[in-house]
Amino acid sequence: MNVTKMLSPILFIAAVLLTDTAMAYDPGKTDEICKKPQFRDFNLPIYKEPEKTEVPPESTLSFLVSPWVNPDTIKLTIKNQNLEHTVESNSSFHRVKAKLPAALNGTFVRINVKATATLGCYDQAGWLLKIADK
């Protein structure tokens, strides 16, 4: 029997084992491709124990969203209802502003925000507030 015929299956197996790690899928690569939206600088005090901080009725809220977000995809909800808002954009961030509805005075509410980055990934955040009674 020829030596090359005996070694060829062994060489094939060795080649497959050595290239296995090079061909492995790395799920972490998707995070590098698309940066998720970031939400920061929420201006109203968040409700926490034991402080129990309340916000004034019909306050204007604002926060910043990262610049790689498509501003048309920013969705703001409160008590599962859409909250009308404005978006002011520049090259560094998008500033989102909205006014708390008068109908929610004296209640606990959660402000939810969801946005999609220009490359398609999305993220969401939220803040719990206690709105003072008029």
Side-chain angles (χ1 to χ4, degrees):
M1 187 177 221
N2 191 351
V3 175
T4 54
K5 286 185 180 180
M6 286 181 15
L7 289 178
S8 63
I10 295 170
L11 291 174
F12 176 75
I13 292 171
V16 168
L17 292 175
L18 291 175
T19 60
D20 185 39
T21 56
M23 296 174 58
Y25 172 72
D26 183 6
K29 294 290 183 190
T30 57
D31 293 338
E32 294 174 8
I33 295 170
C34 187
K35 293 192 290 187
K36 288 187 174 185
Q38 296 174 353
F39 310 98
R40 62 184 176 93
D41 298 344
F42 187 73
N43 72 319
L44 296 178
I46 298 169
Y47 182 83
K48 290 185 249 178
E49 292 283 340
E51 297 89 8
K52 299 181 181 180
T53 307
E54 295 183 349
V55 298
E58 301 176 51
S59 294
T60 299
L61 64 94
S62 70
F63 58 92
L64 302 179
V65 181
S66 50
W68 53 85
V69 166
N70 179 348
D72 296 333
T73 66
I74 298 172
K75 303 294 180 214
L76 200 56
T77 60
I78 188 168
K79 295 239 180 201
N80 294 323
Q81 300 292 320
N82 288 333
L83 182 60
E84 291 202 26
H85 60 280
T86 60
V87 178
E88 300 167 6
S89 300
N90 64 36
S91 62
S92 301
F93 57 82
H94 304 291
R95 180 179 304 280
V96 179
K97 291 183 180 180
K99 186 175 180 181
L100 296 173
L104 299 175
N105 292 349
T107 64
F108 286 92
V109 296
R110 179 171 167 85
I111 309 291
N112 294 303
V113 61
K114 182 178 180 180
T116 304
T118 53
L119 293 177
C121 57
Y122 70 92
D123 206 2
Q124 54 192 5
W127 304 276
L128 178 65
L129 305 176
K130 169 67 167 99
I131 305 173
D133 206 2
K134 243 184 183 179

